[in-house]
Amino acid sequence: MVAAWGGYVFVLNMVALHAGFSMALDMVRNRYDPILYKSYTLFFIVGTFIATCVPPVGMAPFKSLEQMLALLVFIFGHTIHLSEFARRKEEVEIMSRKGVMIRLRYVFATVSILLVAAFVIVPSGFFGPLSSRVRGLFVTHTRTGNPLVDSVAEHQPATSDAYWHYLHLCCYFWNISVFILPFLKKRPRAAQFMTLYGGVAYYFSLKMARLIILSGPVASAGTGLCVGFLLEWALGQFFWSEADEIEEQLAAQGKDKNGKLLLKKGAKTESLETTVTEFRLKFKSQRRMRLAMAVVFVAFLASGKARNEFVEHSEHMAESFANPQLMFKSRLNDGRVVIIDDYREAYHWLRDTTPEDSRVMAWWDYGSQITGIGN
């Protein structure tokens, strides 16, 4: 992936962010997961070793500020792991006063060592600055006067039409999945990753329209989650057991499946929690209504209307991406249609005025196109 796509930095930071967030969340929940520590350690060591073998990367994982998050999570992961030995020796809980103090001592020691190291290394110019493109995602870009730098640092935010154009139905299902993810108890790590990934992808796409591409995987996963959740629920309404019959009768009486009274008959609705409980019990007690809803949903899926629209839109987008053109039409503000042939003119200039074995310095995507046309 590193050799093929410059976006590996985003993937690296997302994995690091997820690992760091999971470690912090585990600590708050008063537990420690050695599997998470071992998994991330293996990922970082093996992945970094292979990445440094790619010429454009080299020692960037240790020198580039854009990749420093992965290194910091690796270091603090070891810090927490070492503090875990001390905590177990003392036989105290993670979130107990003594357990927290043990963690803090190790963290402060690590931070002190890192600050001393930074104080020594930074003046030598070992660490490279953030690129203009990345810096422009977080702060307002100050014009440099260099057209090449300014053109990539001044980003245009994505619009609602752009989200629909690139994601189609996945755009809506992605939003719905945000409310389902917190209730996924079987795969909490996956839910945490999708939530973090979704938030980061949405933030970056709001800053730069072309970064909507980052939201494609999480939007697709969210769509699969929603459709799978709804389909599982709908099909479950056609298979009724004796236990479901008893649960329906208990719901009609204002009780949960264990027989605990949740809602007194004739009680007034006084809070949001009471209203939600009342709605949930009423819905649970109305089998015919649920069955009718399930039939409508399954029939809608079977009709294939939404699926056909999505497939047609996806094929159209795939064709437009897979068949780039050097000349294309554009409409000016006054309504005139013009032919943009800047690329063709530039390639003709390269062909006519440069040696055949010339090397052209360009951005990653333009470089791929130049190589393809040159070959």
Side-chain angles (χ1 to χ4, degrees), residues 93 307 339:
E93 292 290 326
R307 182 193 67 231
I339 299 296

Side-chain angles (χ1 to χ4, degrees), residues 1-17:
M1 181 182 69
V2 174
W5 184 43
Y8 82 91
V9 176
F10 173 79
V11 179
L12 174 66
N13 284 318
M14 273 309 312
V15 174
L17 179 64

